[in-house]
């Protein structure tokens, strides 16, 4: 059995990790930490786990994390970077971080996007970016895996295939990502922006320029295409609890003639046999394109596209994920499975709800 500890287990991604791990046949949950809810039963914060997990929250400062084989850090950015370096020095332990603290390879990007100097830049080159579909072999050997931001995951997964195959024909300086995202992405601590009367019924742009996840998307698309890439992302808060739909606009040069079938082939070849990538494009019916509703609670990323062939040529790419699953805890469990040599889909194969 793998002994797992979850730091920040009272939050939304921590709760989602618990939902997945209680069903994992190879994992024993050793510690769940919360500083605010020490001594409280887990089901007081995560009522969906009542009867499934009879544990209380402990303080991170009082538990011996070295007893774990792996810890998941589900805390705000700026937290895990302060204790993970000592932890991996002192213990033979693997870390799966759900925050932004180890995602960016270039330490200067932390100054630029997070207004802080990374205290352990040497660990950034060691940490592996946790999109299994892009970094599977490195994840298997990793000591630290940095799970992607949820918006970054939705855009990167859906764009990587065409950036690999069509990089010479794409306007790499003008990639536009327009995302719609549910309220759970803001975490469990209430704020004015997430207060129900302010959040319900809205379609509200936020951080329309310079969003932090832009740095991750550029990093990954640059790696896959081998060329500098500039991404312009604008997220919108919409009236759902879970889910992201990212609509990306990729402009092609005037010379290239490319058909639907050729684009399909690019996606199929890139994601051949991937268990959590589904292609959604039908000629008729309601379900012609990806829709977050169909992936809620699941680890699937649903991808679709359309081509604008008149005037300026454009590929419109759609990507739907659950921000708390493929965008966070599901990706983390997929990475755990890879890091410990377990069948990659363990504890992750279930369909969503319908209707
Ligand atoms: N929500 C999403 O959709 C999503 C998706 C992908 C990635 N992420 C990332 O995952 C991380 C957790 O997100 P979340 O949505 O689960 O947040 P959350 O619901 O706010 O939970 C964060 C947890 O961290 C603990 N915490 C709060 N402030 C802390 C601090 N300064 N130092 C250490 N622990 C602290 C809290 O527990 P106690 O105060 O009780 O200890 C809480 O349980 C964040 O870095 C977030 O950016 C979130």
């Amino acid at each position: 059995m793998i002994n797992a500890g979850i730091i920040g287990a009272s939050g939304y991604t921590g709760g989602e990790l618990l939902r997945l791990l209680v069903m994992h046949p190879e994992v024993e949950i050793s510690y769940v930490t919360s500083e605010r809810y020490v001594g409280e039963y887990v089901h007081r914060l995560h009522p969906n786990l009542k009867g499934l997990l009879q544990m209380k929250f402990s303080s991170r400062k009082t538990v011996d994390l070295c007893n774990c084989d792996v810890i998941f850090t589900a805390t705000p950015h700026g937290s895990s970077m302060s204790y993970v370096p000592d932890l991996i020095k002192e213990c033979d332990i693997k870390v799966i971080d759900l925050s932004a603290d180890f995602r960016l390879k270039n330490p200067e990007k932390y100054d630029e996007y997070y207004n802080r100097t990374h205290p352990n830049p040497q660990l950034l080159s060691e940490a592996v970016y946790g999109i299994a579909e892009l970094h599977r072999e490195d994840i298997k050997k990793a000591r630290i895996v940095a799970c992607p931001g949820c918006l970054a995951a939705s855009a990167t997964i859906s764009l990587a295939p065409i950036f690999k195959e069509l990089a010479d024909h794409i306007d790499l300086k003008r990639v536009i990502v327009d995302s719609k995202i549910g309220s759970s992405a803001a975490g469990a601590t209430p704020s004015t922006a997430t207060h129900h009367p302010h959040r319900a019924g809205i379609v509200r742009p936020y951080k329309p320029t310079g969003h932090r996840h832009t740095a991750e998307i550029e990093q990954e698309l640059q790696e896959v295409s081998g060329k500098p890439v500039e991404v312009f992302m604008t997220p919108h808060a919409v009236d759902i609890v879970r889910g992201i739909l990212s609509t990306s606009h990729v402009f092609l040069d005037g010379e290239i003639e490319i058909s639907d079938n050729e684009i399909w082939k690019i996606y199929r070849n890139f994601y051949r046999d991937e268990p959590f990538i589904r292609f959604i494009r039908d000629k008729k019916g309601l379900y012609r394109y990806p829709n977050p509703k169909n992936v809620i609670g699941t680890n699937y990323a649903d991808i679709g596209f359309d081509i604008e062939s008149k005037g300026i040529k454009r590929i419109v790419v759609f990507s739907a994920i659950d921000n708390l699953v493929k965008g966070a805890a599901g990706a983390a469990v997929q990475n755990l499975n890879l890091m410990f040599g377990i069948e990659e889909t363990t504890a992750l194969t279930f369909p969503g709800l319908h209707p």
Side-chain angles (χ1 to χ4, degrees), residues 306-322:
D306 212 334
I307 305 175
E308 183 98 78
S309 46
K310 280 191 204 136
I312 296 171
K313 289 177 187 157
R314 174 172 68 114
I315 310 177
V316 189
V317 180
F318 306 103
S319 170
I321 62 169
D322 183 328

Side-chain angles (χ1 to χ4, degrees), residues 7-16 33-38 45-46 57-58 60 73-80 82-83 97-101 103 114 147-151 181-190 213 241 244 322-329:
I7 315 293
S10 61
Y12 284 159
T13 58
E16 196 65 357
T33 83
S34 160
E35 304 312 313
R36 278 174 302 167
Y37 300 104
V38 173
L45 273 290
H46 305 304
F57 292 108
S58 311
R60 177 172 68 81
T73 46
T75 45
H77 68 81
S79 171
S80 59
S82 68
Y83 59 84
D97 187 28
L98 279 77
S99 83
D101 284 7
R103 289 179 196 155
Y114 292 90
C147 295
C150 51
L151 289 165
I181 187 163
S183 55
S184 59
T189 304
H213 290 186
V241 173
I244 296 174
D322 183 328
N323 53 295
L324 291 176
V325 191
K326 190 61 176 162

Side-chain angles (χ1 to χ4, degrees), residues 163-201:
F163 275 70
K164 176 154 188 285
E165 293 303 327
L166 297 176
D168 289 339
H169 303 285
I170 288 173
D171 184 349
L172 297 169
K173 300 274 176 218
R174 189 165 51 135
V175 181
I176 295 169
V177 180
D178 176 313
S179 300
K180 317 288 183 296
I181 187 163
S183 55
S184 59
T189 304
S191 71
T192 311
T194 61
H195 187 46
H196 182 265
H198 300 175
R199 188 67 175 68

Side-chain angles (χ1 to χ4, degrees), residues 83-110:
Y83 59 84
V84 161
D86 284 340
L87 194 63
I88 57 172
K89 220 186 290 165
E90 287 159 19
C91 323
D92 180 21
I93 198 168
K94 293 179 197 273
V95 174
I96 301 175
D97 187 28
L98 279 77
S99 83
D101 284 7
F102 299 97
R103 289 179 196 155
L104 301 175
K105 296 287 161 205
N106 180 353
E108 285 169 20
K109 294 284 176 188
Y110 282 92

